Short mmCIF file of all heavy atoms in Angstrom, two decimals:
data_model
loop_
_atom_site.label_atom_id
_atom_site.label_comp_id
_atom_site.label_asym_id
_atom_site.label_seq_id
_atom_site.Cartn_x
_atom_site.Cartn_y
_atom_site.Cartn_z
N MET A 1 -7.03 -187.81 114.03
CA MET A 1 -6.79 -189.06 114.80
C MET A 1 -5.61 -189.74 114.22
O MET A 1 -5.53 -190.01 113.07
CB MET A 1 -8.14 -189.89 114.69
CG MET A 1 -8.13 -191.18 115.57
SD MET A 1 -9.58 -192.17 115.29
CE MET A 1 -10.75 -191.21 116.09
N ALA A 2 -4.68 -190.05 115.16
CA ALA A 2 -3.42 -190.71 114.69
C ALA A 2 -3.65 -192.18 114.41
O ALA A 2 -4.38 -192.86 115.05
CB ALA A 2 -2.35 -190.55 115.79
N LYS A 3 -2.84 -192.63 113.52
CA LYS A 3 -2.92 -194.10 113.20
C LYS A 3 -2.30 -194.87 114.35
O LYS A 3 -1.37 -194.36 115.05
CB LYS A 3 -2.13 -194.48 111.91
CG LYS A 3 -2.91 -193.93 110.70
CD LYS A 3 -2.38 -194.60 109.44
CE LYS A 3 -3.20 -194.25 108.29
NZ LYS A 3 -3.17 -195.26 107.22
N THR A 4 -2.71 -196.04 114.54
CA THR A 4 -2.19 -196.96 115.68
C THR A 4 -1.09 -197.85 115.06
O THR A 4 -0.89 -197.95 113.83
CB THR A 4 -3.29 -197.89 116.22
OG1 THR A 4 -3.65 -198.78 115.26
CG2 THR A 4 -4.45 -196.99 116.61
N ARG A 5 -0.42 -198.49 115.97
CA ARG A 5 0.55 -199.54 115.51
C ARG A 5 -0.17 -200.89 115.38
O ARG A 5 0.58 -201.86 114.95
CB ARG A 5 1.74 -199.62 116.55
CG ARG A 5 2.52 -198.36 116.58
CD ARG A 5 3.64 -198.49 117.50
NE ARG A 5 4.30 -197.22 117.59
CZ ARG A 5 5.35 -197.04 118.47
NH1 ARG A 5 5.76 -197.99 119.23
NH2 ARG A 5 5.97 -195.80 118.50
N VAL A 6 -1.34 -200.99 115.62
CA VAL A 6 -2.07 -202.26 115.46
C VAL A 6 -2.43 -202.41 114.01
O VAL A 6 -3.16 -201.50 113.47
CB VAL A 6 -3.33 -202.39 116.38
CG1 VAL A 6 -4.07 -203.62 116.07
CG2 VAL A 6 -2.95 -202.23 117.84
N THR A 7 -1.98 -203.42 113.38
CA THR A 7 -2.30 -203.74 112.04
C THR A 7 -3.35 -204.84 111.94
O THR A 7 -3.64 -205.51 112.98
CB THR A 7 -1.13 -204.24 111.22
OG1 THR A 7 -0.61 -205.52 111.83
CG2 THR A 7 0.05 -203.23 111.22
N ASN A 8 -4.04 -204.91 110.77
CA ASN A 8 -5.07 -206.04 110.67
C ASN A 8 -5.25 -206.40 109.19
O ASN A 8 -4.90 -205.73 108.38
CB ASN A 8 -6.42 -205.53 111.27
CG ASN A 8 -7.01 -204.44 110.47
OD1 ASN A 8 -7.62 -204.75 109.41
ND2 ASN A 8 -6.86 -203.20 110.92
N SER A 9 -5.86 -207.57 109.10
CA SER A 9 -6.14 -208.10 107.75
C SER A 9 -7.62 -208.31 107.59
O SER A 9 -8.04 -209.27 106.90
CB SER A 9 -5.36 -209.42 107.50
OG SER A 9 -5.52 -210.35 108.56
N ILE A 10 -8.42 -207.44 108.24
CA ILE A 10 -9.84 -207.64 108.24
C ILE A 10 -10.40 -207.58 106.80
O ILE A 10 -11.21 -208.39 106.47
CB ILE A 10 -10.53 -206.64 109.22
CG1 ILE A 10 -10.19 -206.85 110.65
CG2 ILE A 10 -12.10 -206.72 109.02
CD1 ILE A 10 -10.62 -205.74 111.56
N ARG A 11 -9.94 -206.53 106.03
CA ARG A 11 -10.51 -206.42 104.67
C ARG A 11 -10.27 -207.64 103.90
O ARG A 11 -11.27 -208.12 103.22
CB ARG A 11 -9.92 -205.15 104.03
CG ARG A 11 -10.48 -204.96 102.68
CD ARG A 11 -10.05 -203.60 102.15
NE ARG A 11 -10.81 -202.64 102.92
CZ ARG A 11 -10.43 -201.32 103.08
NH1 ARG A 11 -9.42 -200.91 102.40
NH2 ARG A 11 -11.11 -200.50 103.81
N GLU A 12 -9.06 -208.16 103.94
CA GLU A 12 -8.76 -209.40 103.13
C GLU A 12 -9.58 -210.56 103.65
O GLU A 12 -10.09 -211.34 102.80
CB GLU A 12 -7.27 -209.72 103.28
CG GLU A 12 -6.35 -208.60 102.68
CD GLU A 12 -6.11 -207.43 103.58
OE1 GLU A 12 -6.30 -207.56 104.84
OE2 GLU A 12 -5.69 -206.43 103.09
N LEU A 13 -9.71 -210.73 104.89
CA LEU A 13 -10.47 -211.85 105.47
C LEU A 13 -11.92 -211.74 105.14
O LEU A 13 -12.62 -212.80 104.90
CB LEU A 13 -10.21 -212.02 106.96
CG LEU A 13 -8.69 -212.34 107.29
CD1 LEU A 13 -8.42 -212.21 108.79
CD2 LEU A 13 -8.36 -213.77 106.85
N ARG A 14 -12.45 -210.59 105.20
CA ARG A 14 -13.90 -210.36 104.92
C ARG A 14 -14.18 -210.68 103.47
O ARG A 14 -15.23 -211.20 103.11
CB ARG A 14 -14.30 -208.82 105.09
CG ARG A 14 -14.59 -208.41 106.42
CD ARG A 14 -15.24 -207.06 106.45
NE ARG A 14 -14.65 -206.02 105.72
CZ ARG A 14 -14.97 -205.54 104.54
NH1 ARG A 14 -15.94 -206.07 103.92
NH2 ARG A 14 -14.23 -204.47 103.89
N SER A 15 -13.28 -210.45 102.54
CA SER A 15 -13.53 -210.70 101.12
C SER A 15 -13.46 -212.16 100.72
O SER A 15 -13.87 -212.50 99.62
CB SER A 15 -12.48 -209.95 100.29
OG SER A 15 -11.16 -210.42 100.46
N ARG A 16 -13.04 -213.04 101.58
CA ARG A 16 -12.99 -214.45 101.28
C ARG A 16 -14.45 -214.98 101.18
O ARG A 16 -15.41 -214.39 101.80
CB ARG A 16 -12.39 -215.24 102.47
CG ARG A 16 -10.94 -215.03 102.64
CD ARG A 16 -10.49 -215.79 103.77
NE ARG A 16 -11.42 -215.75 104.86
CZ ARG A 16 -11.41 -216.42 106.04
NH1 ARG A 16 -10.39 -217.16 106.24
NH2 ARG A 16 -12.27 -216.24 106.99
N GLY A 17 -14.68 -216.06 100.55
CA GLY A 17 -15.99 -216.75 100.51
C GLY A 17 -17.01 -215.84 100.01
O GLY A 17 -16.97 -215.33 98.83
N ASP A 18 -18.08 -215.62 100.73
CA ASP A 18 -19.19 -214.86 100.31
C ASP A 18 -19.03 -213.30 100.39
O ASP A 18 -19.94 -212.57 100.06
CB ASP A 18 -20.45 -215.28 101.08
CG ASP A 18 -20.34 -214.89 102.60
OD1 ASP A 18 -19.31 -214.49 103.04
OD2 ASP A 18 -21.32 -215.17 103.30
N GLY A 19 -17.78 -212.88 100.81
CA GLY A 19 -17.50 -211.50 100.82
C GLY A 19 -18.32 -210.63 101.81
O GLY A 19 -19.07 -209.84 101.50
N MET A 20 -18.09 -210.96 103.04
CA MET A 20 -18.83 -210.23 104.15
C MET A 20 -18.58 -208.73 104.07
O MET A 20 -17.44 -208.28 103.77
CB MET A 20 -18.41 -210.74 105.48
CG MET A 20 -19.08 -210.09 106.68
SD MET A 20 -18.47 -210.70 108.24
CE MET A 20 -18.74 -212.43 108.12
N THR A 21 -19.69 -207.94 104.21
CA THR A 21 -19.52 -206.50 104.11
C THR A 21 -19.06 -205.95 105.45
O THR A 21 -19.18 -206.67 106.48
CB THR A 21 -20.93 -205.77 103.77
OG1 THR A 21 -21.87 -206.18 104.73
CG2 THR A 21 -21.39 -206.32 102.40
N GLN A 22 -18.66 -204.70 105.49
CA GLN A 22 -18.38 -204.00 106.63
C GLN A 22 -19.54 -204.02 107.57
O GLN A 22 -19.49 -204.20 108.73
CB GLN A 22 -17.81 -202.63 106.35
CG GLN A 22 -16.47 -202.58 105.75
CD GLN A 22 -16.08 -201.14 105.30
OE1 GLN A 22 -16.93 -200.39 104.94
NE2 GLN A 22 -14.78 -200.96 105.25
N GLN A 23 -20.70 -203.70 106.94
CA GLN A 23 -21.97 -203.59 107.75
C GLN A 23 -22.30 -204.98 108.35
O GLN A 23 -22.66 -205.09 109.45
CB GLN A 23 -23.08 -203.11 106.87
CG GLN A 23 -24.43 -202.99 107.57
CD GLN A 23 -24.39 -201.83 108.62
OE1 GLN A 23 -23.79 -200.78 108.31
NE2 GLN A 23 -24.99 -202.09 109.70
N GLY A 24 -22.12 -206.00 107.58
CA GLY A 24 -22.44 -207.37 108.03
C GLY A 24 -21.51 -207.74 109.19
O GLY A 24 -21.95 -208.36 110.21
N LEU A 25 -20.28 -207.39 109.17
CA LEU A 25 -19.32 -207.73 110.22
C LEU A 25 -19.72 -206.81 111.49
O LEU A 25 -19.72 -207.39 112.63
CB LEU A 25 -17.87 -207.35 109.84
CG LEU A 25 -16.82 -207.52 110.90
CD1 LEU A 25 -16.81 -209.00 111.48
CD2 LEU A 25 -15.44 -207.23 110.34
N ALA A 26 -20.02 -205.72 111.22
CA ALA A 26 -20.36 -204.70 112.33
C ALA A 26 -21.57 -205.20 113.08
O ALA A 26 -21.60 -205.25 114.32
CB ALA A 26 -20.63 -203.29 111.73
N GLU A 27 -22.60 -205.62 112.34
CA GLU A 27 -23.78 -206.16 112.96
C GLU A 27 -23.51 -207.38 113.81
O GLU A 27 -24.04 -207.54 114.88
CB GLU A 27 -24.85 -206.56 111.95
CG GLU A 27 -25.45 -205.19 111.37
CD GLU A 27 -26.37 -205.47 110.06
OE1 GLU A 27 -26.58 -206.71 109.77
OE2 GLU A 27 -26.84 -204.52 109.57
N ARG A 28 -22.71 -208.25 113.33
CA ARG A 28 -22.33 -209.49 114.01
C ARG A 28 -21.50 -209.30 115.25
O ARG A 28 -21.55 -210.10 116.21
CB ARG A 28 -21.70 -210.50 113.04
CG ARG A 28 -22.63 -210.97 111.96
CD ARG A 28 -22.11 -212.07 111.12
NE ARG A 28 -21.92 -213.22 111.80
CZ ARG A 28 -21.21 -214.32 111.24
NH1 ARG A 28 -20.93 -214.30 109.97
NH2 ARG A 28 -21.09 -215.45 111.95
N VAL A 29 -20.75 -208.20 115.32
CA VAL A 29 -19.88 -208.03 116.51
C VAL A 29 -20.45 -206.87 117.41
O VAL A 29 -19.95 -206.61 118.47
CB VAL A 29 -18.41 -207.75 116.18
CG1 VAL A 29 -17.74 -208.96 115.43
CG2 VAL A 29 -18.20 -206.51 115.38
N GLY A 30 -21.58 -206.27 116.89
CA GLY A 30 -22.25 -205.29 117.77
C GLY A 30 -21.66 -203.89 117.81
O GLY A 30 -21.64 -203.19 118.80
N VAL A 31 -21.05 -203.41 116.69
CA VAL A 31 -20.62 -202.10 116.60
C VAL A 31 -21.06 -201.39 115.31
O VAL A 31 -21.77 -202.07 114.44
CB VAL A 31 -19.00 -202.03 116.58
CG1 VAL A 31 -18.39 -202.62 117.83
CG2 VAL A 31 -18.49 -202.74 115.37
N SER A 32 -20.79 -200.13 115.11
CA SER A 32 -21.22 -199.46 113.87
C SER A 32 -20.33 -199.84 112.74
O SER A 32 -19.15 -200.24 112.91
CB SER A 32 -21.20 -197.99 114.08
OG SER A 32 -19.94 -197.48 114.24
N ARG A 33 -20.80 -199.60 111.53
CA ARG A 33 -19.94 -199.78 110.32
C ARG A 33 -18.77 -198.88 110.33
O ARG A 33 -17.67 -199.19 109.92
CB ARG A 33 -20.72 -199.59 108.96
CG ARG A 33 -20.01 -199.89 107.75
CD ARG A 33 -20.75 -199.50 106.52
NE ARG A 33 -20.95 -198.12 106.38
CZ ARG A 33 -19.91 -197.31 105.83
NH1 ARG A 33 -18.76 -197.76 105.55
NH2 ARG A 33 -20.13 -196.03 105.80
N GLN A 34 -19.06 -197.67 110.87
CA GLN A 34 -17.90 -196.69 110.95
C GLN A 34 -16.73 -197.15 111.84
O GLN A 34 -15.63 -196.90 111.58
CB GLN A 34 -18.44 -195.24 111.52
CG GLN A 34 -19.32 -194.60 110.52
CD GLN A 34 -20.77 -195.15 110.48
OE1 GLN A 34 -21.21 -195.98 111.21
NE2 GLN A 34 -21.57 -194.63 109.55
N THR A 35 -17.06 -197.91 112.87
CA THR A 35 -16.02 -198.51 113.71
C THR A 35 -15.25 -199.47 112.95
O THR A 35 -13.91 -199.47 113.06
CB THR A 35 -16.68 -199.14 114.96
OG1 THR A 35 -17.38 -198.12 115.74
CG2 THR A 35 -15.59 -199.77 115.85
N ILE A 36 -15.85 -200.38 112.16
CA ILE A 36 -15.17 -201.33 111.34
C ILE A 36 -14.24 -200.59 110.29
O ILE A 36 -13.09 -200.94 110.17
CB ILE A 36 -16.08 -202.25 110.63
CG1 ILE A 36 -16.89 -203.13 111.67
CG2 ILE A 36 -15.32 -203.15 109.68
CD1 ILE A 36 -16.08 -203.91 112.59
N VAL A 37 -14.76 -199.53 109.70
CA VAL A 37 -13.99 -198.72 108.77
C VAL A 37 -12.75 -198.16 109.46
O VAL A 37 -11.64 -198.33 108.86
CB VAL A 37 -14.81 -197.59 108.17
CG1 VAL A 37 -13.96 -196.68 107.39
CG2 VAL A 37 -15.91 -198.13 107.26
N ALA A 38 -12.89 -197.56 110.66
CA ALA A 38 -11.73 -196.98 111.42
C ALA A 38 -10.69 -198.13 111.77
O ALA A 38 -9.49 -197.81 111.69
CB ALA A 38 -12.21 -196.31 112.62
N ILE A 39 -11.19 -199.26 112.12
CA ILE A 39 -10.33 -200.33 112.53
C ILE A 39 -9.56 -200.81 111.29
O ILE A 39 -8.28 -200.92 111.27
CB ILE A 39 -10.98 -201.51 113.15
CG1 ILE A 39 -11.56 -201.12 114.51
CG2 ILE A 39 -10.08 -202.71 113.38
CD1 ILE A 39 -12.54 -202.07 115.14
N GLU A 40 -10.23 -201.02 110.14
CA GLU A 40 -9.59 -201.45 108.93
C GLU A 40 -8.55 -200.45 108.44
O GLU A 40 -7.48 -200.87 107.90
CB GLU A 40 -10.63 -201.68 107.78
CG GLU A 40 -11.40 -202.95 107.97
CD GLU A 40 -12.33 -203.26 106.78
OE1 GLU A 40 -12.45 -202.39 105.85
OE2 GLU A 40 -12.96 -204.27 106.77
N LYS A 41 -8.72 -199.21 108.70
CA LYS A 41 -7.83 -198.18 108.23
C LYS A 41 -6.78 -197.84 109.31
O LYS A 41 -5.93 -196.88 109.11
CB LYS A 41 -8.54 -196.88 107.96
CG LYS A 41 -9.46 -196.94 106.68
CD LYS A 41 -10.12 -195.69 106.44
CE LYS A 41 -10.91 -195.68 105.09
NZ LYS A 41 -11.60 -194.45 104.74
N ALA A 42 -6.75 -198.63 110.35
CA ALA A 42 -5.77 -198.47 111.46
C ALA A 42 -5.82 -197.09 112.13
O ALA A 42 -4.87 -196.62 112.61
CB ALA A 42 -4.37 -198.78 110.95
N LYS A 43 -6.99 -196.59 112.12
CA LYS A 43 -7.21 -195.28 112.78
C LYS A 43 -7.74 -195.52 114.19
O LYS A 43 -7.84 -194.55 114.94
CB LYS A 43 -8.20 -194.43 112.00
CG LYS A 43 -7.59 -193.94 110.68
CD LYS A 43 -8.48 -192.94 109.99
CE LYS A 43 -7.78 -192.59 108.65
NZ LYS A 43 -8.22 -191.29 108.11
N TYR A 44 -8.12 -196.69 114.49
CA TYR A 44 -8.67 -197.03 115.79
C TYR A 44 -8.35 -198.49 116.10
O TYR A 44 -8.37 -199.37 115.36
CB TYR A 44 -10.22 -196.97 115.70
CG TYR A 44 -10.97 -197.37 117.00
CD1 TYR A 44 -10.95 -196.71 118.07
CD2 TYR A 44 -11.60 -198.63 116.87
CE1 TYR A 44 -11.71 -197.11 119.23
CE2 TYR A 44 -12.36 -199.08 118.03
CZ TYR A 44 -12.33 -198.33 119.14
OH TYR A 44 -13.05 -198.82 120.28
N SER A 45 -7.82 -198.61 117.36
CA SER A 45 -7.54 -199.99 117.83
C SER A 45 -8.73 -200.52 118.66
O SER A 45 -9.14 -199.89 119.57
CB SER A 45 -6.29 -199.89 118.85
OG SER A 45 -5.18 -199.59 118.13
N PRO A 46 -9.14 -201.71 118.25
CA PRO A 46 -10.29 -202.24 119.00
C PRO A 46 -9.90 -202.70 120.41
O PRO A 46 -8.75 -202.90 120.65
CB PRO A 46 -10.64 -203.49 118.17
CG PRO A 46 -9.32 -203.91 117.57
CD PRO A 46 -8.59 -202.57 117.25
N THR A 47 -10.89 -202.74 121.25
CA THR A 47 -10.67 -203.37 122.58
C THR A 47 -10.28 -204.82 122.41
O THR A 47 -10.54 -205.43 121.29
CB THR A 47 -11.92 -203.32 123.44
OG1 THR A 47 -12.93 -204.07 122.83
CG2 THR A 47 -12.37 -201.90 123.65
N LEU A 48 -9.69 -205.42 123.41
CA LEU A 48 -9.36 -206.87 123.27
C LEU A 48 -10.63 -207.68 123.10
O LEU A 48 -10.61 -208.58 122.19
CB LEU A 48 -8.68 -207.26 124.59
CG LEU A 48 -8.12 -208.64 124.59
CD1 LEU A 48 -7.07 -208.87 123.48
CD2 LEU A 48 -7.36 -208.91 125.96
N GLU A 49 -11.67 -207.29 123.72
CA GLU A 49 -12.98 -208.10 123.56
C GLU A 49 -13.47 -207.99 122.16
O GLU A 49 -13.83 -209.02 121.53
CB GLU A 49 -14.00 -207.55 124.53
CG GLU A 49 -15.36 -208.25 124.38
CD GLU A 49 -16.36 -207.77 125.42
OE1 GLU A 49 -16.14 -206.72 126.09
OE2 GLU A 49 -17.49 -208.29 125.39
N LEU A 50 -13.38 -206.79 121.52
CA LEU A 50 -13.87 -206.69 120.16
C LEU A 50 -12.91 -207.29 119.22
O LEU A 50 -13.43 -207.94 118.23
CB LEU A 50 -14.00 -205.13 119.87
CG LEU A 50 -14.46 -204.82 118.44
CD1 LEU A 50 -15.71 -205.54 118.10
CD2 LEU A 50 -14.51 -203.31 118.23
N ALA A 51 -11.69 -207.30 119.47
CA ALA A 51 -10.75 -208.00 118.59
C ALA A 51 -11.03 -209.59 118.56
O ALA A 51 -11.06 -210.13 117.54
CB ALA A 51 -9.24 -207.85 119.09
N PHE A 52 -11.33 -210.06 119.70
CA PHE A 52 -11.64 -211.53 119.72
C PHE A 52 -13.01 -211.75 119.08
O PHE A 52 -13.17 -212.82 118.35
CB PHE A 52 -11.73 -212.05 121.26
CG PHE A 52 -10.35 -212.44 121.80
CD1 PHE A 52 -9.67 -211.55 122.60
CD2 PHE A 52 -9.85 -213.62 121.43
CE1 PHE A 52 -8.43 -211.92 123.08
CE2 PHE A 52 -8.54 -214.01 121.92
CZ PHE A 52 -7.91 -213.19 122.73
N LYS A 53 -13.98 -210.87 119.21
CA LYS A 53 -15.22 -211.03 118.59
C LYS A 53 -15.03 -211.03 117.01
O LYS A 53 -15.61 -211.91 116.31
CB LYS A 53 -16.20 -209.89 118.88
CG LYS A 53 -16.83 -210.11 120.25
CD LYS A 53 -17.83 -209.01 120.58
CE LYS A 53 -18.43 -209.03 121.92
NZ LYS A 53 -19.41 -207.95 122.15
N ILE A 54 -14.26 -210.07 116.55
CA ILE A 54 -14.01 -210.03 115.11
C ILE A 54 -13.37 -211.27 114.65
O ILE A 54 -13.73 -211.85 113.56
CB ILE A 54 -13.17 -208.75 114.80
CG1 ILE A 54 -14.01 -207.52 115.03
CG2 ILE A 54 -12.62 -208.86 113.33
CD1 ILE A 54 -13.24 -206.23 114.96
N ALA A 55 -12.35 -211.78 115.29
CA ALA A 55 -11.61 -212.98 114.93
C ALA A 55 -12.58 -214.16 114.88
O ALA A 55 -12.52 -214.97 113.95
CB ALA A 55 -10.48 -213.19 115.93
N ARG A 56 -13.48 -214.24 115.92
CA ARG A 56 -14.40 -215.33 115.99
C ARG A 56 -15.35 -215.37 114.77
O ARG A 56 -15.55 -216.37 114.13
CB ARG A 56 -15.19 -215.34 117.31
CG ARG A 56 -16.12 -216.56 117.36
CD ARG A 56 -16.82 -216.55 118.74
NE ARG A 56 -15.90 -216.80 119.81
CZ ARG A 56 -15.94 -216.23 120.93
NH1 ARG A 56 -16.95 -215.52 121.25
NH2 ARG A 56 -14.99 -216.65 121.85
N VAL A 57 -15.86 -214.21 114.45
CA VAL A 57 -16.77 -214.05 113.32
C VAL A 57 -15.99 -214.37 111.98
O VAL A 57 -16.63 -214.97 111.07
CB VAL A 57 -17.34 -212.63 113.20
CG1 VAL A 57 -18.11 -212.42 111.90
CG2 VAL A 57 -18.33 -212.46 114.37
N LEU A 58 -14.81 -213.97 111.85
CA LEU A 58 -14.02 -214.26 110.65
C LEU A 58 -13.42 -215.70 110.69
O LEU A 58 -12.82 -216.10 109.72
CB LEU A 58 -12.88 -213.23 110.49
CG LEU A 58 -13.30 -211.77 110.32
CD1 LEU A 58 -12.23 -210.84 110.28
CD2 LEU A 58 -14.18 -211.74 108.93
N ASP A 59 -13.67 -216.44 111.76
CA ASP A 59 -13.18 -217.80 111.86
C ASP A 59 -11.64 -217.89 111.70
O ASP A 59 -11.17 -218.77 111.04
CB ASP A 59 -13.94 -218.73 110.94
CG ASP A 59 -13.81 -220.19 111.31
OD1 ASP A 59 -13.62 -220.49 112.46
OD2 ASP A 59 -13.81 -221.03 110.44
N GLU A 60 -10.99 -217.03 112.39
CA GLU A 60 -9.55 -217.02 112.39
C GLU A 60 -9.03 -216.76 113.78
O GLU A 60 -9.65 -216.16 114.54
CB GLU A 60 -9.02 -215.84 111.46
CG GLU A 60 -9.33 -215.98 110.05
CD GLU A 60 -8.41 -217.03 109.32
OE1 GLU A 60 -7.44 -217.43 109.94
OE2 GLU A 60 -8.79 -217.43 108.13
N PRO A 61 -7.80 -217.19 114.04
CA PRO A 61 -7.13 -216.86 115.35
C PRO A 61 -6.96 -215.35 115.41
O PRO A 61 -6.70 -214.75 114.32
CB PRO A 61 -5.85 -217.69 115.40
CG PRO A 61 -5.72 -218.34 114.01
CD PRO A 61 -6.97 -218.00 113.23
N VAL A 62 -6.98 -214.74 116.57
CA VAL A 62 -6.79 -213.34 116.65
C VAL A 62 -5.52 -212.88 116.15
O VAL A 62 -5.37 -211.80 115.55
CB VAL A 62 -7.10 -212.87 118.13
CG1 VAL A 62 -5.86 -213.23 119.05
CG2 VAL A 62 -7.32 -211.33 118.28
N GLU A 63 -4.35 -213.78 116.25
CA GLU A 63 -3.12 -213.35 115.71
C GLU A 63 -3.08 -213.34 114.20
O GLU A 63 -2.15 -212.73 113.67
CB GLU A 63 -2.10 -214.44 116.20
CG GLU A 63 -1.95 -214.66 117.72
CD GLU A 63 -2.90 -215.65 118.28
OE1 GLU A 63 -3.74 -216.27 117.51
OE2 GLU A 63 -2.88 -215.77 119.51
N ARG A 64 -4.00 -213.97 113.56
CA ARG A 64 -4.05 -213.92 112.07
C ARG A 64 -4.83 -212.58 111.64
O ARG A 64 -4.57 -212.08 110.58
CB ARG A 64 -4.82 -215.15 111.57
CG ARG A 64 -5.21 -215.10 110.12
CD ARG A 64 -4.06 -215.39 109.17
NE ARG A 64 -4.51 -215.37 107.80
CZ ARG A 64 -4.56 -214.35 106.97
NH1 ARG A 64 -4.20 -213.22 107.35
NH2 ARG A 64 -5.00 -214.43 105.74
N VAL A 65 -5.69 -212.10 112.45
CA VAL A 65 -6.47 -210.96 112.10
C VAL A 65 -5.76 -209.66 112.56
O VAL A 65 -5.74 -208.76 111.76
CB VAL A 65 -7.85 -210.89 112.83
CG1 VAL A 65 -8.71 -209.79 112.52
CG2 VAL A 65 -8.66 -212.26 112.54
N PHE A 66 -5.00 -209.69 113.67
CA PHE A 66 -4.46 -208.41 114.20
C PHE A 66 -2.92 -208.74 114.41
O PHE A 66 -2.51 -209.81 114.82
CB PHE A 66 -5.08 -208.03 115.49
CG PHE A 66 -6.52 -207.51 115.32
CD1 PHE A 66 -7.47 -208.43 115.59
CD2 PHE A 66 -6.80 -206.31 114.91
CE1 PHE A 66 -8.88 -208.13 115.40
CE2 PHE A 66 -8.09 -205.95 114.77
CZ PHE A 66 -9.13 -206.75 115.03
N GLY A 67 -2.14 -207.71 114.17
CA GLY A 67 -0.73 -207.74 114.51
C GLY A 67 -0.45 -206.41 115.20
O GLY A 67 -1.04 -205.48 115.22
N TYR A 68 0.93 -206.31 115.74
CA TYR A 68 1.35 -205.18 116.34
C TYR A 68 2.64 -204.80 115.70
O TYR A 68 3.58 -205.54 115.68
CB TYR A 68 1.51 -205.41 117.88
CG TYR A 68 1.98 -204.10 118.54
CD1 TYR A 68 1.12 -203.06 118.64
CD2 TYR A 68 3.14 -204.06 119.17
CE1 TYR A 68 1.50 -201.85 119.32
CE2 TYR A 68 3.63 -202.92 119.84
CZ TYR A 68 2.74 -201.80 119.92
OH TYR A 68 3.11 -200.65 120.53
N GLY A 69 2.67 -203.47 115.26
CA GLY A 69 3.94 -202.99 114.57
C GLY A 69 5.03 -202.62 115.55
O GLY A 69 6.05 -202.27 115.13
N GLY A 70 4.74 -202.76 116.88
CA GLY A 70 5.74 -202.48 117.93
C GLY A 70 6.73 -201.34 117.59
O GLY A 70 6.59 -200.60 116.71
N GLY A 71 7.69 -201.21 118.49
CA GLY A 71 8.72 -200.29 118.28
C GLY A 71 8.95 -199.26 119.39
O GLY A 71 8.35 -199.04 120.27
#
């Protein structure tokens, strides 16, 4: 599976405060832990809906959670 150009700061944002786990985030947004792992490693780009859900759970604007490497 090729890496995407979508970057993210999920791991850093999860580690703030009480240190939300990958499993905890996955449960709150309705996906598997493996999906969160793949997104964090930039091996999978989330749908727009999932990106917004993740940003909402992390209490950050989607632009702070995700970026695009363009090109």
Side-chain angles (χ1 to χ4, degrees):
M1 191 181 284
K3 288 195 174 207
T4 70
R5 293 182 185 177
V6 175
T7 61
N8 70 79
S9 53
I10 296 172
R11 181 169 293 161
E12 295 82 19
L13 295 170
R14 278 193 307 101
S15 67
R16 296 177 315 175
D18 63 358
M20 183 182 300
T21 64
Q22 290 171 331
Q23 183 66 40
L25 177 58
E27 289 172 0
R28 292 185 64 186
V29 299
V31 298
S32 69
R33 186 186 68 79
Q34 290 81 6
T35 298
I36 298 299
V37 169
I39 294 170
E40 284 186 357
K41 291 182 176 181
K43 293 186 180 207
Y44 171 75
S45 293
T47 63
L48 188 56
E49 181 180 4
L50 180 54
F52 276 102
K53 285 181 179 180
I54 291 169
R56 183 175 294 143
V57 168
L58 295 174
D59 196 28
E60 292 286 346
V62 74
E63 301 87 2
R64 169 75 176 93
V65 181
F66 296 97
Y68 182 67

